[in-house]
Amino acid sequence: MHIPDGILSPTILAAGAVVSVVVLAKSVQESKKNLEQTAVPIMGVMAAFIFATQMVNFPLLGAAASGHLIGGALAVYLFGFWPTTLIMTTVVTIQAVVFQDGGISVLGVNILNMAIIAPLAASIVYRLLRKSKIPVTLMVFIAGWVSVVATAAFAALQLGASNVVSYRLALQTLILWHSIIGIGEGLITGAVVPFARRSSFFLTRREERS
């Protein structure tokens, strides 16, 4: 999903950067207020896991974007939306600065897509389905799939608005491939969550909230 430097319009770059800064400022504020200190080391482990899964990727649209897992739905389920944006931002920033995966000038847009849109889409799915009677594994599978496809759609719109490719080609290509990738995202999320729910960290949080 990483978009490289030099292809998006200045308007899209500026808009992405502004939105990302505003949301991340709110994320820091909310996390300082509500996040348990015991969650911070686990967030670091989650960031490392997401970083590793995202390193397996392949170019799309002539390298105008890439296809890979995201990990936002899993992080949202465990930590909530606001902390997840910080986890994902850390991952995306390290990838851009250290590994040149994505660009520096486009960092704000990549953060918007993967650190904000993906967790937001998963959060909406959880809010809609949490009170239903469907199994947790199915709920997180749906959230994982939706988060990937929603992120792909936003990236496609940004490429189309920048005249990199047509809207139609961008949407068709990115949504097609990420609909398939989203199945993998959903399966991994559904496989990891049951183990996470039995961890001492998750059980302690559930006891504190009860």
Side-chain angles (χ1 to χ4, degrees), residues 7 19 49 58 82 102 127 133 143 162:
I7 63 173
V19 173
F49 175 76
F58 54 92
W82 298 112
R127 181 168 297 184
K133 296 182 179 180
S162 300

Side-chain angles (χ1 to χ4, degrees), residues 131-154:
K131 294 182 180 180
S132 68
K133 296 182 179 180
I134 67 172
V136 170
T137 51
L138 178 57
M139 180 180 69
V140 298
F141 175 89
I142 295 171
W145 188 88
V146 170
S147 69
V148 170
V149 174
T151 304
F154 267 82

Side-chain angles (χ1 to χ4, degrees), residues 155-178:
L157 292 174
Q158 292 155 0
L159 293 171
S162 300
N163 295 316
V164 177
V165 292
S166 68
Y167 282 106
R168 181 177 180 179
L169 179 59
L171 287 166
Q172 286 180 339
T173 302
L174 292 188
I175 290 178
L176 170 64
W177 281 105
H178 285 89

Side-chain angles (χ1 to χ4, degrees), residues 21-67:
V21 167
V22 171
V23 173
L24 291 178
K26 179 67 173 177
S27 296
V28 171
Q29 182 182 31
E30 290 294 325
S31 296
K32 283 183 176 180
K33 186 189 306 181
N34 301 312
L35 188 65
E36 305 97 328
Q37 288 297 319
T38 55
V40 176
I42 310 301
M43 290 171 62
V45 174
M46 177 58 63
F49 175 76
I50 292 173
F51 181 90
T53 60
Q54 287 193 10
M55 291 302 289
V56 180
N57 60 71
F58 54 92
L60 295 172
L61 294 172
S66 60

Side-chain angles (χ1 to χ4, degrees), residues 3-210:
I3 299 175
D5 279 327
I7 63 173
L8 294 184
S9 70
T11 301
I12 297 297
L13 292 175
V18 169
V19 173
S20 294
V21 167
V22 171
V23 173
L24 291 178
K26 179 67 173 177
S27 296
V28 171
Q29 182 182 31
E30 290 294 325
S31 296
K32 283 183 176 180
K33 186 189 306 181
N34 301 312
L35 188 65
E36 305 97 328
Q37 288 297 319
T38 55
V40 176
I42 310 301
M43 290 171 62
V45 174
M46 177 58 63
F49 175 76
I50 292 173
F51 181 90
T53 60
Q54 287 193 10
M55 291 302 289
V56 180
N57 60 71
F58 54 92
L60 295 172
L61 294 172
S66 60
H68 57 76
L69 301 172
I70 297 178
L74 175 60
V76 168
Y77 184 85
L78 297 178
F79 302 102
F81 172 74
W82 298 112
T84 294
T85 63
L86 302 180
I87 293 171
M88 300 299 296
T89 295
T90 301
V91 172
V92 174
T93 301
I94 292 174
Q95 288 172 335
V97 174
V98 178
F99 295 94
Q100 290 78 53
D101 196 359
I104 301 301
S105 67
V106 79
L107 183 59
V109 172
N110 284 329
I111 288 174
L112 172 62
N113 292 343
M114 289 179 283
I116 298 174
I117 298 301
L120 179 61
S123 296
I124 292 172
V125 172
Y126 291 143
R127 181 168 297 184
L128 293 175
L129 298 182
R130 200 177 292 274
K131 294 182 180 180
S132 68
K133 296 182 179 180
I134 67 172
V136 170
T137 51
L138 178 57
M139 180 180 69
V140 298
F141 175 89
I142 295 171
W145 188 88
V146 170
S147 69
V148 170
V149 174
T151 304
F154 267 82
L157 292 174
Q158 292 155 0
L159 293 171
S162 300
N163 295 316
V164 177
V165 292
S166 68
Y167 282 106
R168 181 177 180 179
L169 179 59
L171 287 166
Q172 286 180 339
T173 302
L174 292 188
I175 290 178
L176 170 64
W177 281 105
H178 285 89
S179 294
I180 300 170
I181 294 170
I183 296 174
E185 178 99 7
L187 290 173
I188 292 173
T189 306
V192 172
V193 161
F195 293 98
R197 284 166 60 86
R198 294 194 292 270
S199 69
S200 58
F201 168 72
F202 193 91
L203 291 173
T204 301
R205 292 183 71 202
R206 189 159 55 189
E207 289 173 1
E208 290 174 350
R209 293 175 180 178
S210 61

